[in-house]
Amino acid sequence: MSVDVSLYQRLDEQLASLTDNFCNMVRSSLLPEEDDDVIKGNNTHVPGELPEVFASKILHNAQTALNLVSELKKSAMHSDVTALTHNSRTVKRVLEGEAELGENRIASIRKEAEETLMRLEEQYYSSKHKRDAPDDCRRQEAVWEEFFIRGLECDRPKQQQTPKPESAD
């Protein structure tokens, strides 16, 4: 940051010098009117300097000022990169926090849905309009599976029989 301040100060000095040299060039190019200068007591003429000398000083000051502006732009660009990096990291942290909150929210919704489903199943199987309890359904499925496998075994010749799959109770 102190580099930027010193660059601004140097730029300010160069612009002040540029303005002074321009004023001196204008004064040196005026033809002196002795009557006006003597009466007013003003000396508008810069003695011993040619306008070309002031013009070269103006060009030098302008070139130096442009170089300082270029350095300031580079400095601003680098500080913007730092600021953008900082901002992107901040946004990333915020988004990660929101993602975590979203995941927690989804987990709580899943848990609530599971609990609601369990209560719904309990109410259904405890009602008078139920079909079968879950254990009864599993038993019936195992019976039908056994019946189906035995039926297939009877239809096939003995050499092509497949072993019975074990039921997972």
Side-chain angles (χ1 to χ4, degrees):
M1 197 66 171
S2 64
V3 174
D4 292 343
V5 172
S6 67
L7 287 175
Y8 279 118
Q9 289 173 347
R10 287 177 45 203
L11 181 63
D12 190 37
E13 291 169 4
Q14 288 298 321
L15 291 176
S17 178
L18 181 80
T19 305
D20 292 340
N21 285 326
F22 181 75
C23 290
N24 288 336
M25 185 178 74
V26 170
R27 282 190 211 135
S28 69
S29 66
L30 293 176
L31 295 175
E33 296 182 14
E34 293 182 24
D35 296 337
D36 289 338
D37 288 339
V38 172
I39 295 171
K40 293 181 184 174
N42 293 340
N43 189 4
T44 57
H45 182 68
V46 179
E49 295 281 352
L50 296 173
E52 292 82 12
V53 174
F54 289 117
S56 68
K57 288 181 180 179
I58 289 172
L59 289 175
H60 175 70
N61 289 339
Q63 183 179 8
T64 305
L66 287 175
N67 288 337
L68 289 171
V69 168
S70 175
E71 288 180 37
L72 282 169
K73 285 170 60 177
K74 286 179 188 176
S75 174
M77 185 173 59
H78 290 303
S79 66
D80 279 347
V81 168
T82 305
L84 288 174
T85 303
H86 174 70
N87 288 342
S88 67
R89 287 179 181 158
T90 304
V91 168
K92 182 180 175 183
R93 274 188 247 121
V94 167
L95 291 177
E96 287 173 348
E98 289 178 0
E100 187 176 328
L101 288 174
E103 290 172 1
N104 292 340
R105 175 70 186 210
I106 289 172
S108 68
I109 290 172
R110 182 178 294 133
K111 184 177 179 180
E112 184 180 332
E114 289 172 356
E115 291 171 356
T116 304
L117 183 61
M118 291 297 287
R119 280 185 283 163
L120 181 65
E121 286 178 350
E122 287 174 10
Q123 286 181 351
Y124 173 75
Y125 290 118
S126 66
S127 74
K128 62 181 179 177
H129 301 291
K130 69 176 181 175
R131 290 195 300 172
D132 290 313
D135 293 334
D136 293 341
C137 288
R138 284 191 207 115
R139 283 190 212 116
Q140 283 182 355
E141 287 174 6
V143 168
W144 282 106
E145 186 177 326
E146 184 71 27
F147 179 74
F148 180 72
I149 290 172
R150 289 188 188 257
L152 288 176
E153 288 176 356
C154 292
D155 291 342
R156 293 187 189 172
K158 292 279 185 191
Q159 56 196 345
Q160 294 181 352
Q161 284 184 359
T162 59
K164 287 194 284 187
E166 297 178 19
S167 62
D169 281 41

